[in-house]
Amino acid sequence: MSDQPLKVALLGCGVVGSQVARLLDEHADDMAARVGAPLTLVGALVRDASKPRDGVRDELLVTDPEVLWERSPDIVVELMGGIEPARTLLLEAMARGASVVTANKALLAQDGAALHDAAAEHHVDLAFEASVAGAIPLLRPLKESLAGDRVLRVLGIVNGTTNYILTRMDEAGADYADALREAQELGYAEADPTADVEGHDAAAKAAILAGLAFHSRVTLDDVACQGISGVTASDVEAARAMGHVIKLLAVAESTDGGTAIGVRVNPAMVPRTHPLASVREAFNAVFVEAEAAGDLMFYGRGAGGAPTASAVLGDLVALARNRVLGARDPGESTYAALPISDPGRATARHYLSIDVDDRAGVLARVASCFAEHGVSIETLRQDGRGDDAVLVVVTHAAAGDDISATVAALRGVDAVRDVPTVMQVIGD
Ligand SMILES: NC(=O)c1ccc[n+]([C@@H]2O[C@H](COP(=O)([O-])OP(=O)(O)OC[C@H]3O[C@@H](n4cnc5c(N)ncnc54)[C@H](OP(=O)(O)O)[C@@H]3O)[C@@H](O)[C@H]2O)c1
């Protein structure tokens, strides 16, 4: 064991940062033994140094990054969030020779390339396990444990807020507005829930997962994104009637015979027999389909101070150990450089509910709309009669563009009053 401590600086000491500081202190002896040298917290950058923070000594809190740099940290842990000043500070830390750990999915999804390039240029490590699905060990398994396999598809429930809302809609029959309000009251949703409910947070995580799974650079702009604000109680009821549950899924998949990547976030119907269907409330899970390994599922807490700090500390120990051994993590792998496939050509089974007048010939007219757009029907059922007649159609795998064209054609049919629900359906 080296006597020479490794110096750790925090950028941010809020929900996650304060837990990292606490656990660094509480687990100090174990971490020193695992790293081969003690870890010493030399400072934490915050906006307001006068705000008391449990477990962090006042003299460690600084508001000027120059004060931190003067303390020459070996490892800088960024837990501020947002794009700037986090981006500039991380680049500065790496230029000064520090390895960095970050949980900042927004920055990684928007400008991860700048961070990876800086890490390579300055021969330091960049680790970001906590940026996707909080505590769940996921990125290292994708990068390292599956390095000899071929990932085919990643399906993730990676946003706890939306999963909580959808769980309440499914289990309590709540409508969207009530479930959102309840999530806000319990602290699962922000006062402005846009980033969560419109899928932006999940899209950032989808970009990170897609890049790692398919050895390519993927950014937020590559992700086709639809949130859950349009999901209604009747959609949830329709899913239930089919033995399905609605989940907001982040999907990254190999397309076009392995020559491209499809990456999207959207609500989808998941069969209740699928492992993802049992992921309730604010929990996260990521289901990975790999060529040799088969199906894998990673499950746990996707947020919260201590759970997220666990993932941050795992990275911190790994990078500290590298420092002691004079080693480095493998770094970014983008050799495949696969393009992003057209989201409109992504194929999936689809569920459609179609409100129709209950009269002769309607069924044939509806069926022909599907046939004219090359969409093949797997099942078709009529629920109700007269004014309440609803046709419930599940298609075979069809491209999103063809489904949209079919819906436009259906809306032009006299006897079709509305097509209230169109949703992807995933298989068992
Ligand atoms: N919270 C979670 O459950 C969770 C889960 C996974 C990933 N993450 C990621 O972890 C990161 C941190 O999240 P958090 O929930 O811990 O955030 P937070 O509670 O808002 O804490 C942010 C910290 O950064 C400091 N900070 C922000 N802007 C600053 C600036 N311009 N200059 C100096 N200090 C600044 C704040 O200082 P003050 O305290 O003085 O305001 C605060 O200490 C984010 O990237 C987030 O996406 C969070």
Side-chain angles (χ1 to χ4, degrees):
M1 160 101 71
S2 163
D3 292 340
Q4 192 67 27
L6 284 166
K7 292 187 266 183
V8 178
L10 294 178
L11 303 176
C13 194
V15 172
V16 183
S18 59
Q19 292 301 307
V20 168
R22 176 180 69 82
L23 292 167
L24 253 178
D25 187 45
E26 284 179 22
H27 299 176
D29 292 344
D30 285 329
M31 275 196 270
R34 292 169 196 177
V35 166
L39 299 176
T40 306
L41 185 61
V42 295
L45 182 74
V46 291
R47 270 182 300 225
D48 178 1
S50 67
K51 210 157 69 180
R53 296 159 210 263
D54 282 347
V56 184
R57 296 193 313 277
D58 287 351
E59 66 269 24
L60 290 176
L61 299 172
V62 305
T63 53
D64 179 357
E66 288 304 324
V67 178
L68 272 193
W69 304 144
E70 280 162 17
R71 297 176 189 175
S72 309
D74 297 292
I75 302 176
V76 170
V77 180
E78 186 270 311
L79 298 164
M80 308 167 74
I83 305 301
E84 288 294 354
R87 181 181 180 280
T88 301
L89 291 168
L90 281 174
L91 293 176
E92 175 77 26
M94 288 191 273
R96 288 171 178 270
S99 286
V100 298
V101 177
T102 177
N104 195 332
K105 64 228 149 198
L107 176 57
L108 285 157
Q110 188 169 312
D111 201 11
L115 301 182
H116 286 292
D117 288 347
E121 181 187 347
H122 301 295
H123 308 288
V124 295
D125 283 330
L126 163 67
F128 46 95
E129 181 65 65
S131 64
V132 181
I136 306 174
L138 174 65
L139 305 191
R140 277 184 193 272
L142 273 175
K143 259 170 79 166
E144 296 174 15
S145 318
L146 290 168
D149 205 335
R150 195 171 279 161
V151 173
L152 304 173
R153 186 157 78 145
V154 179
L155 289 173
I157 295 173
V158 291
N159 181 273
T161 305
T162 45
N163 203 51
Y164 183 84
I165 293 170
L166 292 171
T167 303
R168 294 304 293 158
M169 290 177 77
D170 179 50
E171 295 181 3
D175 69 17
Y176 170 77
D178 288 341
L180 170 60
R181 199 170 314 112
E182 188 186 323
Q184 285 170 320
E185 281 163 13
L186 291 170
Y188 290 132
E190 307 270 343
D192 176 0
T194 311
D196 292 316
V197 299
E198 297 307 338
H200 307 152
D201 171 82
K205 294 165 181 170
I208 296 168
L209 287 172
L212 286 175
F214 299 108
H215 301 270
S216 300
R217 277 191 171 161
V218 181
T219 71
L220 187 57
D221 291 341
D222 295 322
V223 185
C225 178
Q226 184 196 342
I228 65 160
S229 57
V231 176
T232 64
S234 59
D235 296 338
V236 172
E237 190 47 47
R240 169 177 289 282
M242 287 218 315
H244 285 53
V245 58
I246 297 176
K247 296 290 185 191
L248 182 70
L249 295 184
V251 182
E253 61 191 354
S254 172
T255 65
D256 303 274
T259 61
I261 309 169
V263 52
R264 62 183 188 273
V265 167
N266 54 237
M269 293 188 182
V270 176
R272 285 190 191 268
T273 48
H274 191 285
L276 285 174
S278 63
V279 179
R280 298 175 58 250
E281 301 196 330
F283 277 85
N284 282 195
V286 177
F287 192 78
V288 178
E289 299 167 13
E291 193 178 284
D295 295 345
L296 303 159
M297 186 152 105
F298 302 83
Y299 171 86
R301 290 185 195 280
T308 308
S310 165
V312 169
L313 288 168
D315 277 346
L316 180 56
V317 167
L319 302 201
R321 208 187 275 138
N322 283 349
R323 289 253 153 179
V324 169
L325 298 173
R328 277 184 63 203
D329 264 7
E332 190 188 22
S333 171
T334 57
Y335 74 91
L338 296 176
I340 303 298
S341 51
D342 175 355
R345 299 311 306 156
T347 60
R349 292 161 71 225
H350 283 77
Y351 168 99
L352 297 91
S353 69
I354 309 164
D355 294 347
V356 293
D357 292 338
D358 188 12
R359 53 174 143 99
V362 173
L363 212 58
R365 187 66 200 97
V366 163
S368 72
C369 287
F370 283 85
E372 281 158 17
H373 295 92
V375 178
S376 140
I377 294 174
E378 184 179 301
T379 60
L380 187 154
R381 191 183 77 228
Q382 177 169 335
D383 285 346
R385 304 205 59 163
D387 284 352
D388 292 328
V390 178
L391 295 179
V392 176
V393 175
V394 177
T395 72
H396 286 294
D401 280 350
D402 295 337
I403 294 290
S404 302
T406 305
V407 171
L410 286 168
R411 291 200 162 118
V413 172
D414 255 8
V416 171
R417 291 195 296 265
D418 195 9
V419 187
T421 307
V422 180
M423 201 173 288
Q424 291 183 5
V425 182
I426 70 157
D428 289 295

Coordinates of all heavy atoms in Angstrom, one line a residue, residues 295-354:
D295 N -30.2 -13.2 -23.6 CA -30.9 -12.1 -22.9 C -30.3 -11.9 -21.5 O -30.1 -12.8 -20.7 CB -32.4 -12.3 -22.7 CG -33.1 -12.4 -24.1 OD1 -32.5 -12.0 -25.1 OD2 -34.2 -12.9 -24.1
L296 N -30.0 -10.6 -21.2 CA -29.5 -10.2 -19.9 C -30.4 -9.1 -19.4 O -30.9 -8.3 -20.1 CB -28.1 -9.7 -20.0 CG -27.0 -10.6 -20.6 CD1 -25.8 -9.7 -21.1 CD2 -26.5 -11.6 -19.6
M297 N -30.6 -9.0 -18.0 CA -31.3 -7.9 -17.5 C -30.6 -7.3 -16.3 O -30.2 -8.0 -15.4 CB -32.7 -8.1 -17.2 CG -33.5 -6.9 -16.8 SD -35.2 -6.9 -17.1 CE -35.8 -7.0 -15.5
F298 N -30.4 -6.0 -16.3 CA -29.8 -5.2 -15.3 C -30.9 -4.4 -14.6 O -31.6 -3.6 -15.3 CB -28.7 -4.3 -15.8 CG -27.6 -5.0 -16.6 CD1 -27.8 -5.4 -17.9 CD2 -26.4 -5.4 -16.0 CE1 -26.9 -6.1 -18.6 CE2 -25.5 -6.1 -16.7 CZ -25.7 -6.4 -18.0
Y299 N -31.0 -4.5 -13.3 CA -32.1 -3.9 -12.6 C -31.7 -3.2 -11.3 O -30.8 -3.7 -10.6 CB -33.1 -5.0 -12.2 CG -34.2 -4.6 -11.3 CD1 -35.4 -4.1 -11.8 CD2 -34.1 -4.8 -9.9 CE1 -36.5 -3.8 -11.0 CE2 -35.2 -4.4 -9.1 CZ -36.3 -3.9 -9.6 OH -37.4 -3.6 -8.8
G300 N -32.3 -2.1 -11.0 CA -32.0 -1.4 -9.7 C -32.5 0.0 -9.6 O -33.4 0.4 -10.4
R301 N -31.9 0.7 -8.7 CA -32.3 2.1 -8.5 C -31.6 3.0 -9.5 O -30.4 3.0 -9.6 CB -32.0 2.6 -7.1 CG -32.9 1.9 -6.1 CD -32.7 2.4 -4.7 NE -33.3 1.5 -3.7 CZ -34.6 1.4 -3.5 NH1 -35.4 2.3 -4.0 NH2 -35.1 0.5 -2.6
G302 N -32.4 3.8 -10.3 CA -31.8 4.6 -11.3 C -31.5 6.0 -10.9 O -31.0 6.8 -11.7
A303 N -31.8 6.3 -9.6 CA -31.5 7.7 -9.2 C -31.4 7.7 -7.6 O -31.6 6.6 -7.0 CB -32.6 8.6 -9.6
G304 N -31.2 8.9 -7.1 CA -31.1 9.0 -5.6 C -29.6 9.2 -5.3 O -28.7 8.7 -5.9
G305 N -29.4 10.0 -4.2 CA -28.1 10.4 -3.8 C -27.2 9.2 -3.6 O -26.1 9.0 -4.3
A306 N -27.5 8.3 -2.6 CA -26.6 7.2 -2.3 C -26.5 6.2 -3.4 O -25.4 5.8 -3.7 CB -27.1 6.5 -1.0
P307 N -27.6 5.8 -4.1 CA -27.5 4.8 -5.2 C -26.5 5.3 -6.3 O -25.7 4.6 -6.8 CB -28.9 4.6 -5.7 CG -29.7 4.9 -4.5 CD -29.1 6.0 -3.7
T308 N -26.7 6.6 -6.6 CA -25.9 7.1 -7.7 C -24.5 7.3 -7.2 O -23.5 7.0 -8.0 CB -26.5 8.5 -8.2 OG1 -27.9 8.3 -8.4 CG2 -25.8 9.0 -9.4
A309 N -24.3 7.6 -6.0 CA -22.9 7.7 -5.4 C -22.2 6.4 -5.5 O -21.0 6.3 -5.7 CB -23.0 8.3 -4.0
S310 N -22.9 5.3 -5.3 CA -22.3 4.0 -5.4 C -21.6 3.8 -6.8 O -20.5 3.3 -6.8 CB -23.4 2.9 -5.2 OG -22.9 1.6 -5.6
A311 N -22.3 4.1 -7.8 CA -21.8 4.0 -9.2 C -20.6 4.9 -9.4 O -19.6 4.6 -10.0 CB -22.8 4.3 -10.2
V312 N -20.7 6.2 -8.8 CA -19.6 7.1 -8.9 C -18.4 6.6 -8.2 O -17.2 6.7 -8.7 CB -20.0 8.5 -8.3 CG1 -18.9 9.4 -8.2 CG2 -21.2 9.1 -9.2
L313 N -18.6 6.0 -7.0 CA -17.4 5.5 -6.3 C -16.8 4.3 -6.9 O -15.6 4.1 -6.8 CB -17.9 5.2 -4.8 CG -18.1 6.5 -4.0 CD1 -18.8 6.1 -2.7 CD2 -16.8 7.2 -3.7
G314 N -17.6 3.5 -7.6 CA -17.0 2.4 -8.3 C -16.1 2.9 -9.4 O -14.9 2.4 -9.5
D315 N -16.5 3.9 -10.1 CA -15.6 4.5 -11.1 C -14.4 5.1 -10.4 O -13.3 5.0 -10.9 CB -16.3 5.6 -11.8 CG -17.2 5.1 -13.0 OD1 -17.1 4.0 -13.4 OD2 -18.0 5.9 -13.5
L316 N -14.6 5.8 -9.3 CA -13.5 6.5 -8.6 C -12.4 5.4 -8.2 O -11.2 5.6 -8.4 CB -14.0 7.2 -7.4 CG -13.0 8.0 -6.6 CD1 -12.3 9.0 -7.4 CD2 -13.8 8.7 -5.5
V317 N -12.9 4.3 -7.6 CA -11.9 3.3 -7.2 C -11.2 2.7 -8.4 O -9.9 2.6 -8.4 CB -12.6 2.2 -6.4 CG1 -11.8 0.9 -6.3 CG2 -13.1 2.7 -5.1
A318 N -11.9 2.5 -9.5 CA -11.2 1.9 -10.7 C -10.2 2.9 -11.3 O -9.1 2.5 -11.6 CB -12.3 1.7 -11.8
L319 N -10.5 4.2 -11.3 CA -9.6 5.1 -11.9 C -8.4 5.4 -10.9 O -7.3 5.6 -11.3 CB -10.2 6.5 -12.2 CG -11.4 6.5 -13.2 CD1 -11.7 7.8 -13.8 CD2 -11.3 5.4 -14.3
A320 N -8.7 5.3 -9.6 CA -7.6 5.5 -8.6 C -6.7 4.3 -8.7 O -5.4 4.5 -8.7 CB -8.2 5.6 -7.2
R321 N -7.2 3.1 -8.9 CA -6.4 1.9 -9.0 C -5.5 2.1 -10.2 O -4.3 1.7 -10.2 CB -7.3 0.7 -9.1 CG -6.7 -0.5 -8.6 CD -7.6 -1.7 -8.9 NE -8.7 -1.9 -8.0 CZ -10.0 -2.2 -8.3 NH1 -10.4 -2.2 -9.5 NH2 -10.9 -2.4 -7.3
N322 N -6.1 2.6 -11.3 CA -5.3 2.8 -12.5 C -4.1 3.7 -12.3 O -3.0 3.5 -12.7 CB -6.1 3.4 -13.6 CG -7.0 2.4 -14.3 OD1 -6.9 1.2 -14.1 ND2 -8.0 2.9 -15.1
R323 N -4.4 4.7 -11.5 CA -3.3 5.7 -11.2 C -2.1 5.0 -10.4 O -1.0 5.2 -10.7 CB -3.8 6.8 -10.3 CG -4.7 7.8 -11.0 CD -4.0 9.1 -11.3 NE -4.6 9.7 -12.4 CZ -4.2 10.9 -12.9 NH1 -3.3 11.5 -12.3 NH2 -4.8 11.4 -14.0
V324 N -2.6 4.2 -9.4 CA -1.6 3.5 -8.6 C -0.7 2.6 -9.5 O 0.5 2.4 -9.3 CB -2.3 2.8 -7.4 CG1 -1.3 1.8 -6.7 CG2 -2.9 3.7 -6.5
L325 N -1.4 1.9 -10.4 CA -0.7 0.9 -11.2 C -0.1 1.5 -12.5 O 0.6 0.8 -13.2 CB -1.7 -0.2 -11.7 CG -2.4 -1.0 -10.5 CD1 -3.4 -1.9 -11.1 CD2 -1.3 -1.8 -9.8
G326 N -0.3 2.8 -12.7 CA 0.2 3.4 -14.0 C -0.5 2.9 -15.2 O 0.0 2.8 -16.3
A327 N -1.8 2.5 -15.0 CA -2.6 1.9 -16.1 C -3.7 2.9 -16.5 O -3.9 3.9 -15.9 CB -3.2 0.6 -15.6
R328 N -4.4 2.5 -17.6 CA -5.5 3.3 -18.0 C -6.7 2.4 -18.4 O -6.5 1.2 -18.8 CB -5.2 4.2 -19.2 CG -4.5 5.4 -18.9 CD -4.2 6.3 -20.1 NE -5.4 6.7 -20.7 CZ -5.5 7.0 -22.0 NH1 -4.5 7.0 -22.8 NH2 -6.7 7.4 -22.5
D329 N -7.9 2.9 -18.3 CA -9.1 2.2 -18.8 C -9.0 2.1 -20.3 O -8.2 2.8 -21.0 CB -10.4 3.0 -18.5 CG -11.0 2.5 -17.2 OD1 -10.4 1.6 -16.5 OD2 -12.1 3.0 -16.9
P330 N -9.8 1.2 -21.0 CA -9.7 1.0 -22.4 C -10.0 2.3 -23.2 O -9.5 2.4 -24.4 CB -10.7 -0.1 -22.7 CG -11.1 -0.7 -21.4 CD -10.7 0.3 -20.4
G331 N -10.7 3.2 -22.7 CA -11.0 4.4 -23.5 C -12.2 4.2 -24.4 O -12.8 3.1 -24.5
E332 N -12.5 5.2 -25.2 CA -13.7 5.1 -26.1 C -13.4 4.1 -27.3 O -12.3 4.1 -27.8 CB -13.9 6.5 -26.7 CG -15.2 6.7 -27.5 CD -15.3 8.0 -28.2 OE1 -14.3 8.6 -28.5 OE2 -16.4 8.4 -28.5
S333 N -14.5 3.4 -27.6 CA -14.4 2.4 -28.7 C -15.4 2.9 -29.8 O -16.6 2.7 -29.6 CB -14.7 1.0 -28.2 OG -14.8 0.1 -29.3
T334 N -14.9 3.4 -30.9 CA -15.8 3.9 -31.9 C -15.4 3.3 -33.3 O -15.8 3.9 -34.3 CB -15.8 5.4 -32.0 OG1 -14.5 5.8 -32.3 CG2 -16.3 6.1 -30.8
Y335 N -14.7 2.2 -33.3 CA -14.2 1.7 -34.5 C -15.2 1.3 -35.6 O -15.0 1.4 -36.8 CB -13.3 0.4 -34.2 CG -14.1 -0.8 -33.9 CD1 -14.6 -1.7 -34.9 CD2 -14.5 -1.0 -32.6 CE1 -15.4 -2.8 -34.6 CE2 -15.3 -2.1 -32.3 CZ -15.7 -3.0 -33.3 OH -16.6 -4.0 -33.0
A336 N -16.5 0.9 -35.1 CA -17.5 0.5 -36.0 C -18.1 1.7 -36.8 O -18.4 1.5 -38.0 CB -18.6 -0.2 -35.3
A337 N -18.1 2.9 -36.2 CA -18.6 4.1 -36.8 C -19.8 3.9 -37.7 O -19.9 4.3 -38.8 CB -17.4 4.7 -37.7
L338 N -20.8 3.2 -37.1 CA -22.1 2.9 -37.8 C -22.9 4.1 -37.9 O -23.0 5.0 -37.0 CB -22.8 1.8 -37.1 CG -22.1 0.5 -37.0 CD1 -23.0 -0.5 -36.1 CD2 -21.9 -0.1 -38.4
P339 N -23.6 4.3 -39.1 CA -24.5 5.4 -39.2 C -25.8 5.1 -38.5 O -26.1 4.0 -38.1 CB -24.8 5.5 -40.7 CG -24.6 4.0 -41.2 CD -23.5 3.4 -40.3
I340 N -26.6 6.2 -38.3 CA -27.9 6.0 -37.6 C -29.0 5.8 -38.7 O -29.0 6.5 -39.8 CB -28.3 7.3 -36.9 CG1 -27.2 7.7 -35.8 CG2 -29.7 7.2 -36.2 CD1 -27.0 6.6 -34.8
S341 N -29.8 4.8 -38.5 CA -30.8 4.5 -39.6 C -32.0 5.4 -39.5 O -32.2 6.0 -38.4 CB -31.2 3.0 -39.5 OG -31.6 2.7 -38.2
D342 N -32.7 5.6 -40.6 CA -33.9 6.5 -40.6 C -34.9 6.0 -39.6 O -35.4 4.8 -39.8 CB -34.4 6.4 -42.1 CG -35.7 7.2 -42.3 OD1 -36.2 7.7 -41.3 OD2 -36.1 7.3 -43.4
P343 N -35.3 6.8 -38.6 CA -36.3 6.3 -37.6 C -37.6 5.9 -38.2 O -38.3 4.9 -37.8 CB -36.5 7.4 -36.7 CG -35.8 8.6 -37.3 CD -34.9 8.2 -38.4
G344 N -38.0 6.5 -39.3 CA -39.3 6.1 -40.0 C -39.2 4.8 -40.6 O -40.3 4.2 -40.9
R345 N -38.0 4.2 -40.8 CA -37.9 2.9 -41.4 C -37.8 1.8 -40.3 O -37.7 0.6 -40.7 CB -36.7 2.8 -42.4 CG -36.8 3.7 -43.6 CD -38.1 3.7 -44.4 NE -38.5 2.4 -44.8 CZ -39.8 2.1 -45.1 NH1 -40.8 3.0 -44.9 NH2 -40.1 0.9 -45.5
A346 N -37.7 2.2 -39.1 CA -37.5 1.3 -38.0 C -38.8 0.4 -37.9 O -39.9 1.0 -37.9 CB -37.3 2.0 -36.7
T347 N -38.7 -0.9 -37.8 CA -39.9 -1.7 -37.9 C -40.2 -2.2 -36.4 O -39.3 -2.4 -35.6 CB -39.7 -2.9 -38.8 OG1 -38.6 -3.7 -38.3 CG2 -39.4 -2.5 -40.2
A348 N -41.5 -2.3 -36.2 CA -42.0 -2.9 -35.0 C -43.4 -3.3 -35.2 O -44.1 -2.8 -36.1 CB -42.0 -1.8 -33.9
R349 N -43.9 -4.2 -34.3 CA -45.4 -4.5 -34.3 C -46.0 -3.2 -33.8 O -45.5 -2.5 -32.9 CB -45.7 -5.7 -33.5 CG -45.1 -7.0 -34.1 CD -45.0 -8.1 -33.0 NE -46.3 -8.6 -32.6 CZ -46.7 -8.8 -31.3 NH1 -45.8 -8.5 -30.3 NH2 -47.9 -9.2 -31.0
H350 N -47.2 -3.0 -34.2 CA -48.0 -1.8 -33.8 C -49.4 -2.2 -33.3 O -50.0 -3.0 -33.9 CB -48.1 -0.7 -34.8 CG -46.8 0.1 -35.0 ND1 -45.7 -0.4 -35.7 CD2 -46.4 1.3 -34.6 CE1 -44.7 0.4 -35.7 NE2 -45.1 1.5 -35.1
Y351 N -49.8 -1.4 -32.3 CA -51.2 -1.5 -31.8 C -51.9 -0.3 -32.3 O -51.4 0.8 -32.2 CB -51.2 -1.6 -30.3 CG -52.6 -1.4 -29.7 CD1 -53.3 -2.5 -29.2 CD2 -53.1 -0.1 -29.5 CE1 -54.5 -2.3 -28.7 CE2 -54.4 0.0 -29.0 CZ -55.1 -1.1 -28.5 OH -56.3 -0.9 -28.0
L352 N -53.1 -0.5 -32.9 CA -53.9 0.7 -33.3 C -55.4 0.4 -32.8 O -55.9 -0.7 -32.9 CB -54.0 0.9 -34.8 CG -52.7 1.2 -35.5 CD1 -52.1 -0.1 -36.0 CD2 -53.0 2.1 -36.7
S353 N -56.0 1.5 -32.2 CA -57.4 1.4 -31.9 C -58.1 2.4 -32.8 O -57.6 3.5 -33.0 CB -57.7 1.6 -30.4 OG -57.5 2.9 -30.1
I354 N -59.2 1.9 -33.4 CA -59.8 2.7 -34.5 C -61.3 2.8 -34.1 O -62.0 1.8 -34.1 CB -59.6 2.0 -35.9 CG1 -58.1 1.7 -36.1 CG2 -60.2 2.9 -37.0 CD1 -57.9 0.7 -37.2

